[in-house]
């Protein structure tokens, strides 16, 4: 119907967007004290070293925040992917689903190579922008833990997918 988008009138979506903008900066200041924007919509086009034939990884990171370390000198970098969600956010299963988190796992891997920044200084997370939530409750961080085992699982998923496509399974 005209004036409707995904089962809600456009004016409802507009109010959700205005509420999100009203909450976002305060949320970032609280979650990432003294943050600065390192980059937005950063493109990745990096060689995949795990593949014999030359092939490039292509992606676009929504945001990279540079945040002072809580202890010691230096910074940590947060790779952020914005996601819209319903008012309750995501289920536990979705937060832990490798199919969902693989995006950030691979972003971390290739962004680290691109900028020559140690993996230990990079964090990842989804920031949920919850439609229909009350102001002050709209944004939430879903951190994605990417240690050695998770990194290996993400890279294995990528190489398996590439092998499948090269064999004609897609």
């Amino acid at each position: 119907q005209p004036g409707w988008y995904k089962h809600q009138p456009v004016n409802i979506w507009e109010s959700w967007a205005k509420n999100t903008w009203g909450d976002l900066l305060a949320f970032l200041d609280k979650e990432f004290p003294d943050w600065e924007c390192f980059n937005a919509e950063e493109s990745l086009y990096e060689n995949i070293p795990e593949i014999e034939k030359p092939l490039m990884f292509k992606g676009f990171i929504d945001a990279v925040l540079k945040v002072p370390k809580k202890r010691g000198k230096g910074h940590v970098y947060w790779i952020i992917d914005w996601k819209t969600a319903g008012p309750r956010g995501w289920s536990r299963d979705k937060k832990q689903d490798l199919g969902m988190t693989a995006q950030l796992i691979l972003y971390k891997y290739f962004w680290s190579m691109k900028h020559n920044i140690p993996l230990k200084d990079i964090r990842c997370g989804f920031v949920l922008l919850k439609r229909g939530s009350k102001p002050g409750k709209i944004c939430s961080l879903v951190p994605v833990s990417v240690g050695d085992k998770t990194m290996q699982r993400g890279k294995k998923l990528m190489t398996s997918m590439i092998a499948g496509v090269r064999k004609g399974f897609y």
Side-chain angles (χ1 to χ4, degrees), residues 1-154:
Q1 294 179 0
W4 288 72
Y5 178 74
K6 293 196 179 185
H7 314 293
Q8 293 291 337
V10 170
N11 65 324
I12 297 294
W13 283 90
E14 288 172 344
S15 71
W16 291 341
K18 287 177 187 173
N19 289 340
T20 299
W21 279 119
D23 277 12
L24 187 57
L25 288 178
F27 167 80
L28 292 174
D29 289 341
K30 179 178 168 250
E31 289 293 328
F32 310 103
D34 300 318
W35 68 277
E36 62 183 85
C37 181
F38 182 82
N39 211 340
E41 286 298 318
E42 181 170 349
S43 62
L44 293 173
Y45 195 66
E46 306 302 316
N47 185 51
I48 303 173
E50 293 79 9
I51 305 298
E52 290 178 20
K53 295 180 185 175
L55 190 63
M56 303 297 280
F57 175 87
K58 183 178 182 178
F60 296 91
I61 299 173
D62 289 346
V64 180
L65 306 180
K66 185 177 178 181
V67 183
K69 288 184 178 179
K70 291 180 181 177
R71 288 181 229 129
K73 294 181 180 178
H75 296 87
V76 293
Y77 297 85
W78 275 88
I79 293 175
I80 300 293
D81 194 62
W82 312 109
K83 297 288 188 196
T84 57
R88 292 190 183 121
W90 285 352
S91 68
R92 183 178 177 200
D93 289 344
K94 189 169 185 175
K95 291 176 184 178
Q96 297 175 343
D97 179 42
L98 181 61
M100 192 59 138
T101 60
Q103 173 187 10
L104 289 179
I105 294 166
L106 295 174
Y107 282 175
K108 177 176 178 172
Y109 178 62
F110 289 105
W111 191 84
S112 170
M113 287 193 311
K114 178 180 178 179
H115 292 281
N116 197 27
I117 293 174
L119 291 169
K120 68 179 181 56
D121 292 334
I122 304 170
R123 309 282 184 278
C124 300
F126 295 105
V127 173
L128 301 185
L129 308 172
K130 299 182 279 187
R131 300 179 305 271
S133 287
K134 295 179 181 178
K137 304 278 186 188
I138 294 171
C139 304
S140 66
L141 176 65
V142 177
V144 175
S145 177
V146 185
D148 290 339
K149 286 184 182 180
T150 307
M151 183 65 73
Q152 294 309 318
R153 288 177 63 208

